[in-house]
Amino acid sequence: MIMANNKIAYLKWCLLFGFVLVTYFIPLNGRLLWQPDELRYAEISRELIRSYNWSVPELLDIRYFEKPIFGYWVGAVFQMLFGENNVSVRLGAVFSTLLSGFFVYLSAKMAWKKENIAFNAVFIYLSMLMVFTIGTYNILDPIVTAFITMIIFFFQWGLTTKYFSHKLIAFIFIGIACGLGVLTKGFLVLVLPTLVCSVAAIYFKQFKEIFFFSFVAIFTAFLICLPWAFVIASREPDYWHYFFWVEHVQRFMSNDAQNKSPIWFYIPILLAAVIPWLGYLFASIAHAWRQKGIHLYFLLWLVIPFLFFSITKGKLLTYILPCIAPIAILMAAYIDSAFWQKKVGTVRLNACINIVFGLIATIAIIASPYFPKINVYQIDESNKLWLAAGAFIFWTLVALVSFKPKFWYLAAACTLVLSLSVGHVIPKYIESNNTPQNVIAKYQDKLSKRAVLLTNNVGLGTSLAWVLKRSDITMLHQTGELGYGLKYPDAVNRFYRLDQLTKLLEDNHYRDVAVVVDSSQDTILDALPGNPILIKEGKLVFAFYEGL
């Protein structure tokens, strides 16, 4: 019996390893870097390496104070190890996501002392749509989520252990996670744990004890942040003022907050995020509410951050990624309870949701050429259309198999073909603007030789910098997110208004200058002086000045 159980456990972990390999590693080089996010963070890390300036974040050699430094360090380390390529750029997000999965496993194992619940929790977590999508995308959220998931585990340990030394160690690690989180994305990483841990401490009747140990975490976090905080303050005295007021207060709470969205914004996102396990979501939440105890602990980590981000005015899709780990743990606990009680209704519900989703997506893709308003593919892209449809046909077939309760876990495989093919089904008109690496590389020789290279879009500027391996891209007409950095005296020649363009061209004798903009930028294209050579590629326009 023991050997049989060991064999089953071995096969399960092999299955998980295979899923991670196919979903997280193989597709990394199968799609181009997306602008603005992926290329922005890739370029900042590249410039850290090139400039040997590991303390002040810069983008296109211009001060970039939107985030602290640690996430850029992670990206730089992987670029130094594996080179400047699509794979190395995304490895930081991948390993951060796998680290989150590790702490999901530890939390579930500690909560219920059952190997199958712990395994199912990490299996469900790593196969959720939002997790593997963002977990293979070069942004800072997966790194922050790893630290939040780490806090979930160590605070759980601190709540449940009876030993003083264990509590001390747990809160030291909480402080380490908080400190590194602040160095990655700012003070928000302190707000969420403070809210959740305070409520949990009251619920578990340990508020005085937790309040005492919280000073250990605060002191540890302070020690983690202090060296870089001191260095950046000495080199850039206004960094913390800008970072706190603009990037925290204004972004989330002010009337002109970025990405303002309604309070219900995250509800449909959460429903989509947990696919292909949506059928278990509400049953798991209800089960946790009935069971109370440790179930409620994980429920708090779902509800409080979800409410916090819903209330704030500034919203981005990726903000609720830390909410997904507790959902996965609660789903694993519910599935274990449901199978013990031989309740398989939710298994079939989940399969039906995936079947319907797969069928709708398949029909929509195949029928799209007959509806011009929704059609995203050109006539010569039928191969992409059928590949996309095939991915959802596979999704539907796998969902049909998972309808049988003994095959419930196969729902994770619904997304496999989609993961492998997503980089090959992007329409051309989206590729040229959102993933412009190949288009820029096509004109690399002509662009790299230009003394002056201008663009009006920061995302496009980082794309040019990454492909051409030069950071001296100059902004034209619009400053975008570089507006603050361009106000410094040493950046005076890094931005030109349209009425300054003629003087710039005259100084360069109307040669060795190129302008790259989106084809929709009529204001800029109509204002170009002289007779540049215009080349249109998809949604991009290249204007080359070869002389009068």
Side-chain angles (χ1 to χ4, degrees):
M1 177 64 76
I2 295 176
M3 291 184 62
N5 289 339
N6 288 340
K7 186 176 181 180
I8 292 172
Y10 175 77
L11 291 174
K12 286 166 59 178
W13 284 105
C14 286
L15 176 66
L16 179 59
F17 176 80
F19 178 85
V20 169
L21 182 65
V22 172
T23 302
Y24 285 86
F25 286 96
I26 292 179
L28 290 183
N29 202 41
R31 67 182 190 276
L32 300 175
L33 297 178
W34 201 270
Q35 73 100 346
D37 293 329
E38 287 198 292
L39 284 157
R40 177 202 301 126
Y41 296 125
E43 178 60 18
I44 293 174
S45 295
R46 189 189 72 84
E47 291 182 29
L48 283 181
I49 300 169
R50 183 189 59 81
S51 67
Y52 298 101
N53 181 0
W54 289 78
S55 56
V56 181
E58 292 183 345
L59 180 59
L60 306 183
D61 289 337
I62 299 166
R63 293 169 182 82
Y64 189 77
F65 290 169
E66 290 203 357
K67 300 291 185 296
I69 200 71
F70 186 79
Y72 309 139
W73 285 347
V74 172
V77 167
F78 280 108
Q79 286 188 37
M80 288 191 297
L81 290 174
F82 303 107
E84 298 171 1
N85 54 67
N86 296 356
V87 175
S88 65
V89 163
R90 291 169 172 143
L91 283 177
V94 171
F95 282 104
S96 297
T97 302
L98 297 181
L99 183 63
S100 295
F102 174 71
F103 283 110
V104 164
Y105 175 86
L106 292 180
S107 285
K109 187 71 177 292
M110 179 184 291
W112 292 286
K113 308 295 189 296
K114 297 178 72 173
E115 174 68 23
N116 66 312
I117 294 181
F119 175 85
N120 290 341
V122 65
F123 185 63
I124 290 171
Y125 178 74
L126 292 177
S127 58
M128 284 183 172
L129 184 62
M130 174 175 274
V131 174
F132 75 75
T133 301
I134 299 177
T136 54
Y137 187 74
N138 179 38
I139 52 176
L140 302 180
D141 297 87
I143 302 175
V144 172
T145 299
F147 294 134
I148 294 292
T149 313
M150 180 178 173
I151 294 170
I152 292 175
F153 167 73
F154 282 110
F155 188 71
Q156 177 188 353
W157 186 25
L159 278 175
T160 55
T161 185
K162 297 179 181 179
Y163 300 102
F164 178 88
S165 59
H166 290 186
K167 283 186 181 292
L168 185 63
I169 294 171
F171 278 85
I172 288 174
F173 276 103
I174 290 172
I176 293 173
C178 287
L180 293 176
V182 169
L183 290 180
T184 302
K185 208 168 184 181
F187 303 110
L188 184 65
V189 183
L190 299 178
V191 174
L192 295 181
T194 299
L195 292 173
V196 179
C197 293
S198 298
V199 175
I202 294 171
Y203 174 76
F204 288 99
K205 299 178 181 179
Q206 296 187 37
F207 185 79
K208 290 183 179 179
E209 190 174 11
I210 296 303
F211 179 76
F212 169 76
F213 277 100
S214 67
F215 288 99
V216 175
I218 293 171
F219 181 70
T220 305
F222 177 77
L223 291 180
I224 293 291
C225 295
L226 183 61
W228 181 75
F230 176 78
V231 171
I232 192 67
S234 62
R235 294 193 177 186
E236 302 291 343
D238 62 336
Y239 174 86
W240 288 111
H241 174 268
Y242 173 83
F243 182 66
F244 179 77
W245 288 107
V246 177
E247 289 301 313
H248 283 74
V249 177
Q250 291 183 21
R251 169 167 286 197
F252 290 100
M253 302 306 298
S254 68
N255 291 328
D256 60 344
Q258 299 179 33
N259 306 300
K260 290 181 66 175
S261 301
I263 194 169
W264 50 264
F265 176 78
Y266 287 116
I267 294 176
I269 291 176
L270 182 65
L271 297 180
V274 300
I275 289 174
W277 307 104
L278 178 57
Y280 301 103
L281 177 61
F282 298 106
S284 300
I285 293 174
H287 178 257
W289 180 254
R290 291 194 300 268
Q291 295 296 315
K292 300 294 191 295
I294 196 65
H295 292 79
L296 198 63
Y297 172 75
F298 296 113
L299 191 60
L300 289 174
W301 277 103
L302 162 62
V303 173
I304 293 177
F306 185 84
L307 291 177
F308 173 82
F309 287 122
S310 296
I311 293 171
T312 56
K313 294 180 180 180
K315 297 178 176 67
L316 284 177
L317 180 150
T318 55
Y319 286 168
I320 65 163
L321 183 59
C323 298
I324 307 302
I327 294 176
I329 295 171
L330 292 176
M331 284 183 177
Y334 168 75
I335 290 171
D336 180 74
S337 175
F339 273 93
W340 272 105
Q341 299 177 38
K342 298 182 178 180
K343 296 179 180 179
V344 296
T346 49
V347 175
R348 293 184 175 128
L349 172 63
N350 190 65
C352 289
I353 290 174
N354 285 323
I355 292 169
V356 171
F357 180 81
L359 286 173
I360 291 175
T362 302
I363 294 170
I365 292 170
I366 294 175
S368 62
Y370 303 99
F371 299 91
K373 290 185 178 181
I374 65 170
N375 185 30
V376 295
Y377 292 109
Q378 298 175 13
I379 296 175
D380 61 343
E381 294 184 291
S382 59
N383 58 326
K384 292 185 177 182
L385 182 147
W386 286 106
L387 181 58
F392 286 103
I393 290 173
F394 179 84
W395 183 306
T396 306
L397 293 175
V398 172
L400 284 168
V401 177
S402 70
F403 189 82
K404 289 188 176 182
K406 66 178 181 178
F407 296 130
W408 68 271
Y409 56 89
L410 288 180
C414 286
T415 61
L416 285 181
V417 175
L418 184 63
S419 300
L420 292 170
S421 63
V422 65
H424 305 284
V425 300
I426 300 174
K428 287 181 181 178
Y429 85 95
I430 293 178
E431 278 185 344
S432 63
N433 191 33
N434 296 96
T435 56
Q437 284 173 277
N438 285 346
V439 177
I440 294 172
K442 183 177 178 180
Y443 299 95
Q444 184 166 354
D445 289 341
K446 296 188 69 174
L447 290 169
S448 60
K449 297 176 183 178
R450 302 290 151 169
V452 181
L453 190 53
L454 302 109
T455 183
N456 71 311
N457 182 283
V458 177
L460 189 51
T462 57
S463 304
L464 290 164
W466 175 257
V467 175
L468 303 176
K469 306 307 176 189
R470 56 182 288 187
S471 52
D472 59 335
I473 312 299
T474 302
M475 300 307 298
L476 175 67
H477 184 53
Q478 295 166 313
T479 61
E481 61 203 77
L482 292 176
Y484 186 80
L486 287 169
K487 293 178 182 178
Y488 282 80
D490 57 6
V492 66
N493 293 324
R494 302 303 305 280
F495 170 72
Y496 287 89
R497 301 188 307 273
L498 285 179
D499 58 8
Q500 296 174 310
L501 184 56
T502 300
K503 179 65 166 59
L504 173 66
L505 290 169
E506 289 175 350
D507 291 342
N508 287 272
H509 308 290
Y510 282 85
R511 64 174 63 252
D512 291 335
V513 177
V515 180
V516 184
V517 296
D518 186 280
S519 59
S520 64
Q521 298 296 314
D522 294 331
T523 302
I524 297 175
L525 293 173
D526 293 341
L528 292 178
N531 296 299
I533 299 172
L534 297 178
I535 301 175
K536 184 176 181 181
E537 286 279 352
K539 296 180 70 176
L540 295 186
V541 175
F542 298 83
F544 295 101
Y545 283 90
E546 306 288 358
L548 292 174

